[in-house]
Structures are given as C-alpha cells and as structure tokens.
Amino acid sequence: MNPFVWFRQSKLHTKILIAMVLGIPLGLILGPKAEYIRPVGTIFIRLIRMIVVPLVFSSLFVGTASLGDIRKLGRIGLKTMGYYLCTTALAIVLGLLLANSIGPGRNIDDATREGLMASYGAEAGAKLEIALEKPGVIDTLIDVVPINPFGSLAEGNLLQIIFFALMLGIAVTLVPGDRGKPLVKFFEAVNEAMIRLVYMVMKIAPLGVLALIASVVGQFGTDILVSLLSYSLVVMAGLFMHMIFVYSTAVRLFSGMKIRDFWRGIRPAQLIAFSTSSSSATLPVTMECAEDNLGVSNEVTSFVLPLGATVNMDGTALYQGIAAVFIAQVYGIGLTFGDQITIVLMATLASIGAAGVPGVGIFTLAMVLEQIGVPLEGIALILGVDRVLDMFRTVVNVTGDSSAAVIVASSEGELGRPKNEEEDW
C-alpha cells in the first residue's frame, strides 16, 4: 500500500505518534531554524484552548443541572477530591524515595553547576520574581469565588469558572417546574457544538504536534540532557512508575476495568498532553476519550475532568519532590525528615490551583524550596531540561484525571460501554 494512503487511513493516535517521532530528527536537522515552524503548533494549541472555556462551562453546568440531586453532587465531589489528594501525596512520596535512594544531585560537578547557573541564572531570576508574587494558599482558596463571572470567563480562570458553573447548575435544579429547562437545553446545544469543534480541530493535530516537537528539540538539542541525564532519568522513572503502579492498580481495583482497555482509551489524550505540555489545552480531548473510549458518563466527565485539569497535578508534584532533593544535594544541604514532610505538604498544596499550562511546575517549586530553606537560585540548575520533562509530567496529570473519572463513574454506577472508539480514534 502507498505510505501516504496508509497514513491518511490510519487512526488519529497513530498519526500523532508518527508526527512525534518525525519531529525529533526534524528538530535536530533544523536546529534553531525549527522556530520558523513553531507557529503551526502554536495555532493548534490556541485552537484547542479556544474550546476549553465554553466546553468546561457548558458541560459542567449541564452535568450539574442534570443530576437533580445535590447530595449526589456532593458525593461525587468528595470522592474526586479524596482520590486526587491521595494520589498526589503518593506521587510526592515516590519522588522523595527515588531522589533519596539514587541521589542524582550528588554526581553534578562544580563546573557543570556553574555552567548551568551562568546559562539559566537570569531566566530563573525572572521566573522567581513571578513565583514569589503568587498569592498564598488562603488567598488562592478565597480567589475561587469570582467577583465577576463574565470576567472569569473572559480571562479563562478555570477554578472560578468551575465554581460558577456548579453554583448555577445547583440553582437551576432548585427552580420549580420546568422554567430552568430552556437554559439547560441551550447549554446542551453549546456543549454538543464544542464537541463537534474538538473533532474538527483534531484533524490538524499531527501537523501541530510535528511543529511543537521539532521546535522543542531544535531549541534545546541534546547537550543539556546529557549534563542532567541522571536527574532527568530519575524524574521520568518516577513518573512512569506512578502511572503504571498507582493508576493501573487503582483502576483495576476500584472499577474492574481491564488495564489494557484503560491505557488504550486514553492514548489520544496522552499524545496531545505530551506535545502541548498543558492539561488545560488537552482537556477537550481528555473529555472525549473518557466518554467515547472509556464509557464514563457525561455527568461524571463534566465534573471530574475540568476539576482535575485545575487541581490534580500528580506529575508536577512528583517532579517537585525530586527537584527539591536534587537541588539540595547539589548544594550539599541535608534535608531532615521534617523537611521532607514539609515537601509533601507544600507540594500537595502547591499543586492545587496550579494552572494547567506549560512550565507551571517551576513557579510552584519556588514555594516548596522557600519553605525548606534551599536556595531558590538552584532552579537555574534544572531549568534547561524543565521544558522536556514538563511534557512527561503533563501525560501523568492527564492520566490521573482520567483514572479518577473511571473510578468515580464506576462507584456511581455510571461506567458503561465505550461508544465509538474505533470510529473516532
């Protein structure tokens, strides 16, 4: 068969995977010139992000209003947050165990450390200024309540959008008679239109992914990865172990779904997450995978996944635990048991409310380092490989969100048969 014909007839996830593989040599060949094709990837990300706000609001509102039972909403909320907090804590503990046992920071020599500080010190300083201006945990919780919901929609503040959609959905269920139904039907139509738009945008996904991967490889090359190979491998090993052992075990034990079916069902979302490094940008695809490929009900998907894209950052939390210990080891700072408990608590809290956008882990890491007395300038040591590792972290974040949707749906008796996996993906 003609290769072009075979490619055109392949499933979407196969096309995306091929684009990712081709992006690596293309980036190495083009080098810095790969930035010229980056706009193609940027447009692809902007198209997906264009869909996020109307999709999240409409799906969450319709899902909440359709429940008709506030107690059920509260039950789903408690299960979701409980699962998210438990898996986040487990991710950090796993990261600390790996970093302490392997000790990647002990092998960085003075020359390499000084070179990294010189190369990325200025960029790290700029990021730290932004990170230190971020509000504290209490202010973040207060900020969940929007002053102007329309302003929140315009700014794309997902936490505030989720809060307003939930409150409006609850209010509609309390409206007597059928007077609230026209509003529900309107947003049902909006939700359906956004889903169709997702499929339209995903037609150009292979081109967008190819441009994104090539530009990243062209910008950073492989030199920096060699310098920080030990640290990078520890982070990637931790992320892989968390996905395989924690998520697979949880899905099998608490939902009964076959592990193979789970991984096959979320594959398209994982590929988009890897290429965009953004949980929020991947959200429309994650929601479609959960409903069509895994059989999760729309009611559960519309609540669990938007919330997860905002507050569930297991990959970021695991990375923070390893990065904090790594930087401390480079500086020769011994961390006590109390310091490591602080890392667990701070990284868990820092991951809640962290925006699902590329590179957010650097900002939340600054909060963790400040609490345990490790020099914040040490962020410059890992900044060179952060963009690459961020791609792997986002895959873990999206996988964790999907596992939560499956488990919560199963506990509520709302996990059915997949709709149309073969046709759409």
Side-chain angles (χ1 to χ4, degrees), residues 334-385:
L335 297 178
T336 65
F337 180 75
D339 290 333
Q340 309 222 20
I341 292 296
T342 301
I343 293 174
V344 174
L345 295 175
M346 284 302 301
T348 302
L349 292 173
S351 67
I352 298 175
V357 297
V360 71
I362 286 294
F363 302 118
T364 53
L365 176 60
M367 298 170 56
V368 176
L369 295 180
E370 190 175 30
Q371 289 297 314
I372 59 175
V374 173
L376 299 184
E377 294 79 8
I379 288 178
L381 300 172
I382 61 172
L383 206 54
V385 293

Side-chain angles (χ1 to χ4, degrees), residues 53 55-65 73 146 149 153 158-172 302:
V53 169
L55 177 62
V56 168
F57 183 84
S58 60
S59 64
L60 191 52
F61 167 74
V62 170
T64 304
L73 177 63
L153 289 166
L158 277 185
L159 271 179
Q160 294 184 352
I161 292 170
I162 289 171
F163 182 85
F164 180 62
L166 286 173
M167 296 302 294
L168 186 61
I170 292 171
V172 168
S302 61

Side-chain angles (χ1 to χ4, degrees), residues 151-376:
S152 303
L153 289 166
E155 295 169 3
N157 189 321
L158 277 185
L159 271 179
Q160 294 184 352
I161 292 170
I162 289 171
F163 182 85
F164 180 62
L166 286 173
M167 296 302 294
L168 186 61
I170 292 171
V172 168
T173 62
L174 299 176
V175 173
D178 296 334
R179 284 181 289 178
K181 284 191 174 181
L183 186 62
V184 176
K185 288 186 177 296
F186 170 77
F187 279 109
E188 282 179 345
V190 172
N191 188 46
E192 285 293 326
M194 290 302 105
I195 291 172
R196 291 300 102 192
L197 196 52
V198 169
Y199 285 117
M200 291 167 58
V201 171
M202 290 305 292
K203 296 293 184 183
I204 66 167
L207 282 176
V209 169
L210 177 69
L212 289 169
I213 296 296
S215 61
V216 170
V217 174
Q219 180 181 358
F220 296 106
T222 57
D223 292 341
I224 190 65
L225 288 174
V226 173
S227 300
L228 295 172
L229 182 61
S230 179
Y231 163 74
S232 301
L233 289 177
V234 171
V235 172
M236 287 189 283
L239 295 173
F240 181 77
M241 291 170 64
H242 187 70
M243 281 201 303
I244 296 299
F245 296 116
V246 175
Y247 296 149
S248 295
T249 302
V251 166
R252 187 60 180 163
L253 287 179
F254 299 117
S255 75
M257 177 179 288
K258 292 180 180 179
I259 296 174
R260 181 187 61 185
D261 293 341
F262 173 73
W263 288 106
R264 185 172 56 189
I266 63 171
R267 186 166 47 195
Q270 289 177 321
L271 294 173
I272 296 298
F274 185 82
S275 59
T276 62
S277 297
S278 172
S279 301
S280 296
T282 311
L283 181 57
V285 183
T286 310
M287 295 176 73
E288 285 305 294
C289 286
E291 290 187 33
D292 293 353
N293 299 353
L294 300 177
V296 179
S297 70
N298 178 262
E299 293 177 352
V300 173
T301 298
S302 61
F303 178 85
V304 174
L305 293 181
L307 187 63
T310 310
V311 305
N312 184 45
M313 302 287 169
D314 287 1
T316 303
L318 184 146
Y319 140 83
Q320 287 171 355
I322 295 176
V325 175
F326 171 77
I327 294 171
Q329 289 173 348
V330 171
Y331 280 101
I333 299 173
L335 297 178
T336 65
F337 180 75
D339 290 333
Q340 309 222 20
I341 292 296
T342 301
I343 293 174
V344 174
L345 295 175
M346 284 302 301
T348 302
L349 292 173
S351 67
I352 298 175
V357 297
V360 71
I362 286 294
F363 302 118
T364 53
L365 176 60
M367 298 170 56
V368 176
L369 295 180
E370 190 175 30
Q371 289 297 314
I372 59 175
V374 173
L376 299 184

Side-chain angles (χ1 to χ4, degrees), residues 54-127:
L55 177 62
V56 168
F57 183 84
S58 60
S59 64
L60 191 52
F61 167 74
V62 170
T64 304
S66 301
L67 286 176
D69 186 354
I70 297 177
R71 289 177 297 179
K72 182 178 180 180
L73 177 63
R75 192 169 64 244
I76 291 175
L78 286 174
K79 291 176 182 177
T80 303
M81 287 305 300
Y83 180 79
Y84 284 158
L85 289 172
C86 287
T87 56
T88 299
L90 284 173
I92 302 164
V93 170
L94 175 60
L96 291 175
L97 289 173
L98 288 173
N100 282 290
S101 58
I102 298 175
R106 303 188 189 108
N107 301 320
I108 297 292
D109 56 62
D110 293 339
T112 301
R113 180 174 66 235
E114 291 171 3
L116 291 169
M117 292 293 291
S119 299
Y120 296 96
E123 186 178 350
K127 289 181 179 289

